[in-house]
Amino acid sequence: MLSGPPRDSVGLWAPGWAGAPRRTNRRDRPRGKSSGSDCRRSPPLRSSGARALARHAGRLLAGQWYPVSGRPAQRRATMRLGSGAFAACCVAIEVIGVAIFIRGFFPAPVRSSASSEHGAETPAPEPVAGASSNWTKLPSPLFSKVVIVLIDALRDDFVFGSKGVKYMPYTTYLVEKGASHSFVAEAKPPTVTMPRIKALMTGSVPGFVDVIRNLNSPVLLEDNVLRQAKAAGKRIIFYGDETWVKLFPKHFVEYDGTTSFFVSDYTEVDNNVTRHLDKVLKRGDWDVLILHYLGLDHIGHISGPNSPLIGHKLNEMDSVLMKIHTSLLSKERESLLPSLLVLCGDHGMSETGSHGASSTEEVSTPLILISSAFERKPGDIRHPKHVQQTDLAATLAIGLGLPIPKDSVGSLLLPVIEGKPMREQLRFLHLNTLQLSKLLQENVPAYEKDPGFEQFKMAERLHGNWVKLHLEENHSDILLGLGTKVLRQYLGALKTLSLSLSTQVAHYDMYSMVVGTVVVLEVLTLFLLSTPHVLCRKAELDVPLLSPVFSLLFYLIFLVLSAIHVLVCTSSESSCYLCGLPWLAAASVMLLISALLCAILSALIRMVIDSTLLTKNAALPSSGWSEVNLLLLLGTVGHVLSLGASSFVEEEHQTWYFLVNTLCLALIQESCRSCLLGDEYEPHRHFQVEQGCVDILACSLQDSTSCSTPNPDRAGKRVSLSEAQGSCRWWTVLASPWLVLICCRLLRSLNQTGVQGAHRPDISHWLTSSDHKVELSGLAALSLVLVFLLVQRGCSLVSKVALALGLLGVFCYRAAIGVVLFPWQPYNKGISKGIIEARFVYVFVLGILFTGTKDLLKAQVIATDLKTKTVGLWEIHSGLVLLAALLLRPHNLPVLAFSLLIQTILTKFIWKPLRHDAAEITVMHYWFGQAFFFFQGNSNNIATIDVSAGFVGLDTYMEVPAMFLTVFGTYVGPVLWASHLVYFLSSEASNVSALSRACFCYALICSAPVATYIVLVTALRYHLFIWSVFSPKLLYEGMHLLITAALCAVFTATNQTRHTRA
């Protein structure tokens, strides 16, 4: 509602926080009461100076700068906003701030300043001492045709290990005895497809933000091998992953792209590539052929690297490789130059079948170069050497007679040119080293002091002397020895320059980072300053609407920020994201910062006045903190502080496991006290203390129409422990925390996660092995039955039937794709994609959600009884549970069952009997939600994201549903615990503001880690583990905040329902 705030003795409108102190004129005081006995009137400020300061500051913030004796020209409109809606708005603003920060934090890697759009530059001549060289052009190509076979998620041990010997015999023969050179190529994180393709073709190290852009790959604008090949008139053909088509839309004369994100398909996606081979290999009208096979990666996402399907797929790829190689050998008779066949992987595969992080299994990929030019002598044993994945771009460019891409940080693979004359070898190495030195000069101010640059200059001088001797036709041993020395010098310079450029600190967009940090910190400060007001009984805030528009301070701040923005954008040499925005968008950001700052200053002034009044009030009750209160506070603060250490970020699951277990022990102590001492034990609640303080403060500050003295006989009255535990046996209260503790301990053994313990054996690896499919099937069926028993108790009859059929459909879906077995079908022979079964479950999920939403809308539009609302909320919760059962892997179904079991135990035997308040219950829900995030095998590594969850029931790739399902499958724990929190607090009608207060608390404890973490990563942006540890965690925090904003919106919408008591 809109109303004008009270006016003080000098005509000053009070700033707009609920419970704001009001200074009244003497003539406005109620007659017949002395000033000392009126609890609704604030005592005077301590001094005239403080009074004047508050008066002038209030005028400045309210935008009413008029003489002391004057009157305001216009009343300021205010809106009474619930704390839940206030929290939802603040989190939405914080999401904007985090998005701006992330956009500035993930920078562009080192790049050449030369535009790739221009024509090819004239190659540098051969260095000569005292003479002119007759070699000023690029060397001739080494190969006539190049075929690149990229097998997605091909680990090095799949080729060089026991699986390669067993399933890829032809490739193994080529590696051990054939004309080939083998390497283990290291891929830099993030190990996802799109950045890896960029690294292979450009030779540069892609930015970490490419892990997000991997979902929708933009056109590649950097200089790359394919662009150089097209400019040279070479014809390129591509079949496979459509990511290539998005990156290189105008480079292929013929192509056929396949969807890379539909992970349920691992057969047709490769058949669509292989079906073109016979036709294209018979033709000779192409120079470069690229094949990208996705089936191996999809099998890994579905069933992991130990699946029997891996062997079949490797054998299929070996047959494809043999077909291509034999065809190239037959065609070489018609060509003057040999052909080159490249077998490589874009990234590896973790032990869980995923990728994206920096484990050895994910970054180690095979790189095999096969050509008749690499003939080996008998007894020549060539072991795979370790190289960088970026080295392929320079090698392909030299092999095709093309300029090396300008942004490449890779080195030429020397074995490729070892058979060439010394002069050609030195020429190739000189071109590569010169390109790296130019890139170093453009990105490092003090490049002359770089060891690699000094080595390059030395090698160039020696090279010039060697060329001079060579042109003099001196073929003595001195020439051979000098050439070998120059070769080694070039190789040393290449290694040093490549390492310097690969580890070169990227250019951060500090301006965007600072702006985003300011927005996030302003929101967090507003949260903290609002906390005392939110804890009052009504949990409402008076938010000013018109004061920022008419505030002098607001305009001053906006003008200063605008001036800073113009100054930064006009003086900055590097590009800034905010400077590239339209002026209206940039002005909106400055307006937002200015409004938040004005609100903070207003709240600070009000806090000063409130604290002055509290010191005058001697009637405040005194109480202590309970053990649970202290644990919840210290545990939350401790977790936030732990994010500054890389080890704690990597092993964050250990922090939550410790906190949840400690919470169980604290609840054990509290339950023992309550049961053994009975009514003599009254647990002290800090929340109730603050509530009493704020209620008394509100009464002393507001008039009788806005606040009244709390009535002990109303909903907030205290109930004896014997009454609260009347429906529970004492032994159930005592045993419940122990049972929760046992469940948490069992769940810890189900999935090993993190970095240190991810390789350790766990129950999930045992269950997912092919030898224990029967045990997995039994455990999955038992978990689904337990889920039904725990969920159906609060559903209507129709929803119970839908839930039972939906859970049955979940098991049928897993059986259809061959993960579990039916009792009457000991071995799955007909494996399908399970599209029909999954969609069968989706129908029941939508039906249950629709039924629950209908009840909620009924409670909102029509004043119904409380039961209608609670049943609707529980059915929505049940629909989310059914969706989670469908998306979770079968070995993770016990996580879902234990989550529901723990929720039931805590609800019936702990929260209600022990009379925990809304704030405590909210923090406990948050803790358990975070713990269950890690119980299901997640971590702060991108590799633990289960991408296959986004394609359950989809026969084609649809971006929005796939992203929603993937996010929900990843954050099942926090979402289900938050939905249970909404149901539990809404079912308790004793406190109508509990849900609004819970929303505020939930938003606060989610915002604090985000705000702290962005400050920490800014300070640690040059840390050794900034990209491997801190950056993935930043993405997780950003997504978690976005989910929190959605949950807060649900909290607020749910709290708007009206009901009457039955």
Side-chain angles (χ1 to χ4, degrees):
M1 67 178 183
L2 300 177
S3 62
R7 186 172 59 194
D8 70 357
S9 57
V10 293
L12 174 65
W13 298 104
W17 293 90
R22 173 193 174 201
R23 297 182 58 211
T24 60
N25 295 320
R26 290 184 181 272
R27 60 178 178 270
D28 295 332
R29 295 174 183 168
R31 296 175 180 264
K33 287 187 180 181
S34 63
S35 59
S37 61
D38 187 5
C39 75
R40 299 181 182 85
R41 182 170 30 81
S42 66
L45 293 177
R46 291 182 174 181
S47 65
S48 59
R51 191 160 51 242
L53 176 62
R55 180 166 62 247
H56 293 303
R59 287 176 180 168
L60 184 61
L61 290 172
Q64 294 161 350
W65 195 254
Y66 45 83
V68 175
S69 59
R71 293 285 182 180
Q74 182 180 1
R75 286 175 174 260
R76 185 186 59 181
T78 60
M79 178 179 65
R80 180 154 293 179
L81 197 64
S83 57
F86 172 78
C89 295
C90 287
V91 175
I93 295 174
E94 191 172 10
V95 168
I96 297 175
V98 172
I100 295 174
F101 177 85
I102 289 178
R103 182 58 180 81
F105 179 77
F106 291 108
V110 291
R111 293 286 181 263
S112 172
S113 59
S115 174
S116 57
E117 297 293 337
H118 300 315
E121 297 180 359
T122 304
E126 187 180 38
V128 176
S132 60
S133 172
N134 58 356
W135 199 347
T136 58
K137 297 181 179 180
L138 284 173
S140 301
L142 304 179
F143 308 103
S144 60
K145 294 181 183 296
V146 174
V147 179
I148 301 174
V149 180
L150 193 155
I151 303 177
D152 211 294
L154 184 66
R155 278 186 357 190
D156 63 325
D157 59 333
F158 286 176
V159 177
F160 304 133
S162 59
K163 289 184 179 179
V165 175
K166 183 177 181 181
Y167 299 112
M168 304 186 74
Y170 187 78
T171 306
T172 303
Y173 169 78
L174 291 177
V175 169
E176 295 179 351
K177 301 179 181 180
S180 67
H181 291 292
S182 304
F183 308 92
V184 176
E186 179 186 353
K188 299 294 183 183
T191 49
V192 292
T193 298
M194 192 269 281
R196 297 301 93 221
I197 294 176
K198 291 174 64 175
L200 289 169
M201 292 296 102
T202 66
S204 62
V205 181
F208 199 90
V209 76
D210 284 325
V211 72
I212 301 175
R213 302 168 69 186
N214 183 60
L215 298 174
N216 188 16
S217 307
V219 177
L220 183 62
L221 301 178
E222 303 166 30
D223 192 18
N224 56 80
V225 175
L226 296 187
R227 173 174 290 172
Q228 296 286 1
K230 182 187 178 185
K234 297 187 181 297
R235 296 171 60 85
I236 310 170
I237 296 177
F238 169 76
Y239 305 115
D241 184 359
E242 64 180 4
T243 304
W244 289 78
V245 181
K246 296 178 180 178
L247 290 172
F248 312 101
K250 300 179 181 179
H251 296 68
F252 307 121
V253 296
E254 182 181 325
Y255 64 88
D256 184 12
T258 57
T259 301
S260 60
F261 293 105
F262 184 49
V263 297
S264 299
D265 175 25
Y266 51 85
T267 304
E268 294 180 8
V269 71
D270 287 345
N271 292 339
N272 288 334
V273 178
T274 307
R275 65 189 176 93
H276 297 283
L277 275 182
D278 292 334
K279 179 181 63 175
V280 76
L281 289 176
K282 292 179 182 179
R283 295 157 40 189
D285 59 344
W286 54 270
D287 301 295
V288 179
L289 174 63
I290 303 174
L291 309 172
H292 189 151
Y293 285 92
L294 290 164
L296 186 69
D297 177 70
H298 291 184
I299 292 174
H301 283 296
I302 294 173
S303 53
N306 299 318
S307 170
L309 299 173
I310 293 288
H312 296 295
K313 183 57 66 175
L314 292 176
N315 190 260
E316 177 188 343
M317 295 296 100
D318 190 59
S319 301
V320 170
L321 199 70
M322 181 173 64
K323 177 186 291 188
I324 297 173
H325 186 226
T326 54
S327 176
L328 290 177
L329 289 178
S330 64
K331 293 288 185 181
E332 281 186 6
R333 302 169 186 172
E334 307 170 4
S335 176
L336 298 177
L337 294 175
S339 301
L340 175 65
L341 173 59
V342 180
L343 174 65
C344 62
D346 55 346
H347 51 75
M349 182 188 301
S350 68
E351 288 301 319
T352 61
S354 188
H355 54 87
S358 56
S359 66
T360 304
E361 294 80 9
E362 294 169 81
V363 301
S364 300
T365 64
L367 175 60
I368 304 176
L369 306 180
I370 306 168
S371 175
S372 58
F374 305 148
E375 289 291 346
R376 69 174 77 184
K377 299 177 181 179
D380 183 8
I381 300 176
R382 300 173 180 176
H383 297 288
K385 301 177 181 178
H386 284 264
V387 297
Q388 295 298 315
Q389 196 179 57
T390 52
D391 296 340
L392 181 62
T395 305
L396 288 177
I398 294 296
L400 291 171
L402 304 172
I404 299 175
K406 299 180 179 65
D407 299 324
S408 172
V409 298
S411 304
L412 173 65
L413 298 176
L414 184 63
V416 175
I417 60 172
E418 279 181 335
K420 297 295 178 181
M422 178 62 71
R423 186 179 185 184
E424 292 186 23
Q425 293 186 42
L426 296 181
R427 174 63 169 160
F428 292 142
L429 293 175
H430 174 254
L431 290 174
N432 192 187
T433 316
L434 180 65
Q435 174 262 325
L436 291 178
S437 65
K438 288 182 178 179
L439 190 61
L440 184 75
Q441 295 177 42
E442 295 171 359
N443 290 276
V444 179
Y447 66 91
E448 294 179 349
K449 299 180 180 180
D450 188 89
F453 188 80
E454 295 175 352
Q455 285 181 285
F456 163 67
K457 287 300 182 181
M458 175 65 70
E460 198 173 39
R461 287 194 296 270
L462 292 175
H463 189 186
N465 294 331
W466 185 92
V467 172
K468 181 180 179 182
L469 290 175
H470 178 77
L471 294 177
E472 294 173 357
E473 298 184 358
N474 188 341
H475 301 286
S476 63
D477 294 338
I478 298 177
L479 184 65
L480 179 62
L482 181 60
T484 305
K485 181 179 180 180
V486 176
L487 186 70
R488 289 198 301 265
Q489 191 75 18
Y490 269 134
L491 291 177
L494 276 176
K495 184 178 180 180
T496 307
L497 285 171
S498 179
L499 182 63
S500 299
L501 289 169
S502 298
T503 58
Q504 175 65 28
V505 176
H507 304 292
Y508 293 98
D509 183 359
M510 287 302 301
Y511 180 52
S512 299
M513 291 172 61
V514 169
V515 171
T517 304
V518 168
V519 173
V520 173
L521 292 180
E522 282 183 331
V523 171
L524 180 62
T525 304
L526 205 55
F527 265 127
L528 296 176
L529 295 176
S530 308
T531 302
H533 301 276
V534 170
L535 293 181
C536 75
R537 182 171 298 280
K538 290 188 177 181
E540 291 180 342
L541 298 171
D542 284 337
V543 180
L545 294 179
L546 299 180
S547 60
V549 180
F550 299 103
S551 172
L552 178 59
L553 180 61
F554 172 79
Y555 285 124
L556 289 175
I557 296 174
F558 174 70
L559 290 176
V560 170
L561 293 177
S562 300
I564 294 175
H565 178 74
V566 173
L567 183 64
V568 170
C569 293
T570 54
S571 62
S572 177
E573 297 180 358
S574 59
S575 60
C576 298
Y577 170 69
L578 288 177
C579 296
L581 291 178
W583 66 270
L584 186 60
S588 300
V589 175
M590 302 305 152
L591 287 171
L592 181 63
I593 296 176
S594 304
L596 288 174
L597 188 57
C598 286
I600 290 172
L601 293 176
S602 177
L604 281 172
I605 293 174
R606 191 53 45 205
M607 176 172 285
V608 171
I609 299 175
D610 291 354
S611 62
T612 305
L613 297 173
L614 285 174
T615 57
K616 294 287 186 178
N617 196 334
L620 294 178
S622 61
S623 181
W625 288 67
S626 69
E627 291 83 354
V628 175
N629 290 142
L630 289 173
L631 174 63
L632 295 175
L633 176 63
L634 296 179
T636 302
V637 174
H639 165 257
V640 171
L641 297 178
S642 70
L643 297 178
S646 61
S647 298
F648 279 95
V649 173
E650 290 178 333
E651 309 296 327
E652 187 183 1
H653 61 285
Q654 299 288 2
T655 302
W656 289 112
Y657 294 166
F658 171 78
L659 291 178
V660 169
N661 291 341
T662 308
L663 176 61
C664 292
L665 295 177
L667 292 175
I668 289 171
Q669 181 192 33
E670 190 176 33
S671 61
C672 289
R673 284 184 180 180
S674 65
C675 291
L676 297 179
L677 299 181
D679 292 340
E680 297 178 4
Y681 171 64
E682 294 291 340
H684 300 290
R685 302 280 178 237
H686 178 67
F687 170 79
Q688 294 168 354
V689 174
E690 280 196 337
Q691 176 178 324
C693 292
V694 177
D695 285 343
I696 292 175
L697 177 60
C699 287
S700 64
L701 299 179
Q702 298 181 357
D703 56 20
S704 58
T705 61
S706 59
C707 182
S708 58
T709 305
N711 187 355
D713 296 330
R714 296 179 63 184
K717 67 178 181 180
R718 299 182 64 86
V719 185
S720 66
L721 282 169
S722 59
E723 293 177 357
Q725 298 173 1
S727 60
C728 302
R729 296 179 181 271
W730 64 270
W731 62 269
T732 58
V733 178
L734 287 176
S736 297
W738 288 103
L739 184 57
V740 173
L741 187 62
I742 293 173
C743 291
C744 293
R745 185 60 189 89
L746 291 175
L747 289 174
R748 289 184 60 178
S749 304
L750 182 62
N751 292 296
Q752 293 288 351
T753 185
V755 175
Q756 302 297 329
H759 63 281
R760 297 174 184 171
D762 52 29
I763 299 176
S764 64
H765 282 86
W766 184 83
L767 288 172
T768 53
S769 64
S770 57
D771 298 332
H772 303 102
K773 188 173 289 188
V774 176
E775 290 83 354
L776 177 62
S777 303
L779 182 62
L782 182 62
S783 300
L784 291 175
V785 171
L786 183 58
V787 167
F788 174 76
L789 295 177
L790 292 172
V791 174
Q792 58 85 28
R793 57 188 173 85
C795 296
S796 62
L797 180 60
V798 175
S799 296
K800 288 181 182 180
V801 175
L803 179 65
L805 294 176
L807 293 174
L808 179 61
V810 170
F811 192 88
C812 293
Y813 164 72
R814 292 298 174 182
I817 64 175
V819 180
V820 299
L821 302 173
F822 284 118
W824 59 86
Q825 189 180 6
Y827 298 100
N828 259 328
K829 297 181 180 179
I831 298 177
S832 67
K833 299 178 183 178
I835 302 295
I836 298 177
E837 293 83 353
R839 291 180 177 178
F840 178 80
V841 179
Y842 282 135
V843 171
F844 292 111
V845 170
L846 295 176
I848 296 174
L849 292 176
F850 175 78
T851 304
T853 306
K854 180 191 67 174
D855 292 337
L856 269 184
L857 293 176
K858 185 178 179 181
Q860 184 173 7
V861 177
I862 307 172
T864 60
D865 59 354
L866 178 63
K867 184 178 179 180
T868 303
K869 178 181 179 180
T870 55
V871 169
L873 288 172
W874 183 257
E875 288 182 339
I876 292 178
H877 180 68
S878 304
L880 296 177
V881 169
L882 180 56
L883 180 60
L886 176 63
L887 300 182
L888 290 177
R889 304 241 179 153
H891 70 271
N892 271 334
L893 288 176
V895 177
L896 180 61
F898 276 118
S899 176
L900 298 172
L901 180 62
I902 292 175
Q903 289 173 0
T904 304
I905 293 172
L906 292 175
T907 300
K908 289 188 175 182
F909 306 117
I910 294 181
W911 290 329
K912 290 182 179 180
L914 299 182
R915 303 195 312 273
H916 288 281
D917 55 52
E920 291 175 341
I921 293 173
T922 301
V923 179
M924 290 184 196
H925 273 83
Y926 177 80
W927 279 24
F928 276 102
Q930 293 298 105
F932 274 88
F933 173 82
F934 294 103
F935 280 148
Q936 70 182 81
N938 290 322
S939 70
N940 287 324
N941 283 335
I942 300 175
T944 55
I945 298 177
D946 185 10
V947 182
S948 63
F951 304 92
V952 174
L954 301 180
D955 54 358
T956 58
Y957 175 63
M958 293 182 285
E959 186 173 352
V960 175
M963 291 183 63
F964 170 77
L965 293 176
T966 302
V967 171
F968 181 81
T970 304
Y971 289 91
V972 161
V975 171
L976 288 185
W977 278 87
S979 66
H980 183 269
L981 174 64
V982 176
Y983 161 76
F984 177 77
L985 294 180
S986 298
S987 62
E988 298 296 315
S990 59
N991 193 347
V992 294
S993 63
L995 188 58
S996 183
R997 188 177 296 114
C999 178
F1000 182 89
C1001 294
Y1002 195 90
L1004 176 59
I1005 57 179
C1006 289
S1007 300
V1010 176
T1012 306
Y1013 193 71
I1014 65 172
V1015 174
L1016 291 174
V1017 296
T1018 303
L1020 299 173
R1021 63 187 181 276
Y1022 301 128
H1023 194 279
L1024 179 63
F1025 301 133
I1026 187 63
W1027 301 120
S1028 59
V1029 177
F1030 292 103
S1031 296
K1033 174 62 176 175
L1034 179 61
L1035 295 178
Y1036 272 105
E1037 287 292 340
M1039 180 56 66
H1040 190 201
L1041 185 68
L1042 183 61
I1043 294 174
T1044 302
L1047 292 175
C1048 288
V1050 173
F1051 275 64
T1052 305
T1054 305
N1055 199 36
Q1056 302 303 317
T1057 57
R1058 301 178 297 169
H1059 59 266
T1060 58
R1061 295 189 181 278

